[in-house]
Amino acid sequence: MTGSTPGDRVGGAGRPRRLPDEARIVARFKRLGPQQRALALALGPFNDDQGNFDRRAWTEAFASSDPEVIYRVIGVTGSFQGIVNHIVEMLHVGARLAGLAPTDDQDKPPAPRLIASVRDDGGLTANQAEVLTRMCRTRNDLQHASLDVQADQVYDDVVLLRKTLARLARSYVVWMERHDVHLLPRGRG
C-alpha cells in the first residue's frame, strides 16, 4: 500500500486505524451481502416453483407494458446495476490504493480499462475480468435504456452475477491483502 504501513495507523485500543479509502472499501464490502439478498428478493416474482430464476417468466415480464410488472422488472435491473456499480467502485478505490496507473489521474478510468489494469495486477483472473466487463456493458445498456437490451442478455448476466459474486469478492480480498489492505480479520480470508 502506498504511503504508510499498518504500524503507522494505530487507533483506539491498539486496533489499526483505517485510511479513508480503506474505510470506504470495508463499508462497500459489507454492503455486498445485503445487496445480493436484495437482488434475490427482487427475483422472487420471476422464480419457478423450485425457487429458480425462470427465463420464460422473466422474458414475458421484460416485454410487459403493465406498470406493476415494469416495477418488478426495474427491481431486478436496478439491483443488478447497483451491484455492478458497487464492484466497479470497489475496484476504483482498490486500484488507487494499489497505485495502479489508470487511477493516478483525477478522472476515473472507464470500467473496461480499470478492469484490465486490476487483472494485469493479479486482482482478477482473465475470466473474471471478461465476465465483469460483460456485466458492465449490460449495466451501461440498462442505464441508458438502450433499445438493444434483450431480456435474455439481462437474464444471463443476472445469473452470471449470482454465480460469480462470491469468487469476485474472494479475489478482491486476496488482491487487497497483497497490497497490505486487510478487509477481513486475520485468518478469515
Side-chain angles (χ1 to χ4, degrees):
M1 189 178 71
T2 58
S4 66
T5 64
D8 295 337
R9 302 180 321 254
V10 178
R15 289 186 308 266
R17 184 177 64 242
R18 295 197 182 275
L19 296 172
D21 277 344
E22 292 172 328
R24 197 169 300 122
I25 289 173
V26 169
R28 286 192 173 276
F29 193 76
K30 287 178 180 178
R31 293 270 310 154
L32 278 177
Q35 285 182 321
Q36 188 175 21
R37 289 188 293 280
L39 175 59
L41 288 171
L43 290 172
F46 311 107
N47 287 344
D48 62 19
D49 294 339
Q50 288 78 40
N52 299 313
F53 188 26
D54 183 83
R55 184 181 295 271
R56 186 180 326 180
W58 173 253
T59 301
E60 289 173 11
F62 196 82
S64 177
S65 58
D66 179 338
E68 218 172 286
V69 175
I70 292 170
Y71 173 78
R72 290 186 194 116
V73 167
I74 290 172
V76 173
T77 60
S79 292
F80 171 82
Q81 291 175 70
I83 292 170
V84 173
N85 287 341
H86 202 85
I87 294 166
V88 170
E89 190 58 33
M90 288 175 65
L91 290 179
H92 277 293
V93 176
R96 188 169 48 243
L97 286 170
L100 301 184
T103 56
D104 286 345
D105 54 7
Q106 292 295 85
D107 297 324
K108 291 181 180 178
R113 195 170 91 204
L114 171 69
I115 292 165
S117 181
V118 172
R119 178 203 60 216
D120 293 348
D121 192 53
L124 296 168
T125 66
N127 186 58
Q128 287 172 328
E130 183 179 318
V131 164
L132 191 51
T133 300
R134 170 185 160 167
M135 288 189 287
C136 284
R137 270 193 306 272
T138 298
R139 175 212 55 193
N140 290 345
D141 289 346
L142 288 167
Q143 285 177 338
H144 300 291
S146 172
L147 297 175
D148 295 333
V149 180
Q150 300 294 314
D152 284 342
Q153 171 190 359
V154 177
Y155 175 90
D156 291 342
D157 282 359
V158 166
V159 169
L160 191 57
L161 175 64
R162 295 182 79 205
K163 286 181 180 177
T164 60
L165 186 57
R167 286 189 298 269
L168 283 168
R170 278 193 297 278
S171 292
Y172 187 84
V173 167
V174 169
W175 177 54
M176 286 288 85
E177 285 178 350
R178 283 196 2 255
H179 290 286
D180 202 25
V181 176
H182 301 279
L183 301 174
L184 302 174
R186 303 237 189 248
R188 283 202 48 211

